Amino acid sequence: MEPGQKPKIHYAWVTLGATCVMMAIGFGMALNSMGVFFPAVAGYLGTGTGAVASFMTIQGLCMVVGMVFVGRIVPKYWIYVNTLDKKSRKIMLLF
């Protein structure tokens, strides 16, 4: 690189950033708009909206606790799959 020249950002970083933004928007919309459907779900199930909200809270907390254990278990049981590129890189496939 010549002096005074700015380093070029690799295209993969742009792709990673755009993908992260899209995932954040998608999950944010799904999780933050869930409360809109509580009355409809509660009416269908014949319960109150508090019961539906409590279920979603308990489900979220169980997922958080589960992530601690899954994060420790998954590295022990992972396999490689060859990709089709020239360098034959390996990616992690989780079951």
Side-chain angles (χ1 to χ4, degrees):
M1 184 182 326
E2 295 178 18
Q5 189 179 19
K6 291 184 180 179
K8 215 173 186 184
I9 296 176
H10 194 274
Y11 185 70
W13 290 110
V14 176
T15 304
L16 175 68
T19 304
C20 289
V21 168
M22 288 189 298
M23 292 295 291
I25 291 171
F27 278 116
M29 288 175 62
L31 295 175
N32 291 324
S33 64
M34 204 176 305
V36 175
F37 301 103
F38 284 178
V41 172
Y44 180 78
L45 296 175
T47 63
T49 55
V52 177
S54 296
F55 169 76
M56 296 306 293
T57 301
I58 292 169
Q59 179 188 14
L61 292 173
C62 289
M63 287 173 58
V64 168
V65 171
M67 283 184 218
V68 173
F69 298 110
V70 170
R72 292 181 181 179
I73 292 171
V74 166
K76 295 178 184 177
Y77 303 104
W78 55 291
I79 63 171
Y80 284 112
V81 176
N82 288 330
T83 59
L84 299 175
D85 63 350
K86 292 180 183 177
K87 295 181 181 177
S88 185
R89 296 182 185 163
K90 296 184 179 187
I91 60 171
M92 187 167 61
L93 176 65
L94 303 176
F95 292 149

